Amino acid sequence: GAVVSQHPSRVICKSGTSVKIECRSLDFQATTMFWYRQFPKKSLMLMATSNEGSKATYEQGVEKDKFLINHASLTLSTLTVTSAHPEDSSFYICSARAPDRGTDTQYFGPGTRLTVL
Amino acid sequence: QKEVEQDPGPLSVPEGAIVSLNCTYSNSAFQYFMWYRQYSRKGPELLMYTYSSGNKEDGRFTAQVDKSSKYISLFIRDSQPSDSATYLCALRGGGYNKLIFGAGTRLAVHP
């Protein structure tokens, strides 16, 4: 399968700081990447769809000024949680579409656990 | 009504049992059907991908799609403790670029 990495895997920060999470497709080019949030024992909640070279499309209820997404290249998308607060603590997972792999589905990264103190 | 319904479980079975996991959906425009496995504190891993009604087999896993009933299943034969995880169904189609996920079913296979 296609490989997607995320960095960092875990981050702890103070309230009010900003945190950047990177998502990379390692062995394929991803024109579309997705950012999800997951609470304990809950399913994935799509936050936004990121297309290379264009603005991200945010889901209803997701603050675009709070969660900044940049998809500057075909292998890298970043999510920046600005002025993080304890309620932003969650598991953030990215995925990337791999249409040239024959399945045209999404491959997920390992996730980033964010804890805001 | 949710677009995709999946019983969250938990489902507990003995090692060696056949496991049946299911999802129902309401939008007949869905064309692509996937099953993901997610271990605790990890990202989901793609297990099966189908786009037509019928069965698809891969090792101990069989994915079944019945578009007429809007019902999809994942069967796990000879279940192992290492199969203990959350299994998520995911659907795409009907003009959606994104996946629509079920709630996920937590499975525990005990020795």
Side-chain angles (χ1 to χ4, degrees), chain A residues 32 34 36 38 43-44 46 49 59 91 93 97 103-110 113, chain B residues 32 34 36 38 41-46 49 88 92 97-99 101-104 106:
Chain A
T32 306
F34 303 84
Y36 293 84
Q38 188 175 34
S43 190
L44 300 161
L46 180 65
T49 301
E59 294 299 300
F91 193 51
I93 311 174
R97 280 184 69 186
T103 59
D104 193 20
T105 187
Q106 294 179 31
Y107 292 88
F108 285 83
R113 184 160 303 281
Chain B
Y32 303 96
M34 285 135 283
Y36 286 86
Q38 186 177 24
R41 298 173 183 265
K42 302 289 184 184
E45 169 193 10
L46 179 66
Y49 171 93
L88 299 128
R92 189 168 72 84
N97 185 35
K98 59 188 180 184
L99 293 178
F101 282 93
R106 283 187 291 136

Side-chain angles (χ1 to χ4, degrees), chain B residues 48 50 52-58 62-66 73 75:
Chain B
M48 301 288 282
T50 57
S52 59
S53 282
N55 293 352
K56 181 178 182 180
E57 191 173 316
D58 184 0
T62 300
Q64 189 175 79
V65 174
D66 183 346
S73 300
F75 298 97

Side-chain angles (χ1 to χ4, degrees), chain B residues 6 21 36-37 47 74 76 83 85-89 104-105 107:
Chain B
Q6 183 178 10
L21 304 165
Y36 286 86
R37 176 176 63 194
L47 277 179
L74 177 70
I76 307 174
D83 294 327
T86 295
Y87 291 81
L88 299 128
C89 64
T105 300
L107 171 67

Side-chain angles (χ1 to χ4, degrees), chain A:
Chain A
V3 181
V4 177
S5 71
Q6 269 184 254
H7 178 79
S9 58
R10 180 176 293 188
V11 58
I12 301 172
C13 68
K14 292 183 179 179
S15 186
T17 60
S18 294
V19 175
K20 180 185 283 189
I21 302 170
E22 291 186 349
C23 177
R24 292 182 185 271
S25 57
L26 297 185
D27 53 355
F28 66 99
Q29 293 185 331
T31 54
T32 306
M33 289 184 169
F34 303 84
W35 286 96
Y36 293 84
R37 185 173 180 176
Q38 188 175 34
F39 292 103
K41 298 186 179 181
K42 298 292 184 184
S43 190
L44 300 161
M45 183 191 82
L46 180 65
M47 299 174 66
T49 301
S50 167
N51 292 297
E52 186 265 338
S54 63
K55 289 184 178 179
T57 303
Y58 290 81
E59 294 299 300
Q60 193 173 11
V62 178
E63 298 175 61
K64 58 183 67 177
D65 294 330
K66 172 77 172 175
F67 299 100
L68 300 178
I69 291 172
N70 183 283
H71 192 162
S73 78
L74 288 171
T75 59
L76 173 65
S77 177
T78 61
L79 168 69
T80 302
V81 183
T82 62
S83 186
H85 288 92
E87 58 265 29
D88 298 324
S89 299
S90 191
F91 193 51
Y92 291 88
I93 311 174
C94 71
S95 71
R97 280 184 69 186
D100 60 341
R101 290 297 174 114
T103 59
D104 193 20
T105 187
Q106 294 179 31
Y107 292 88
F108 285 83
T112 297
R113 184 160 303 281
L114 170 63
T115 303
V116 184
L117 303 176

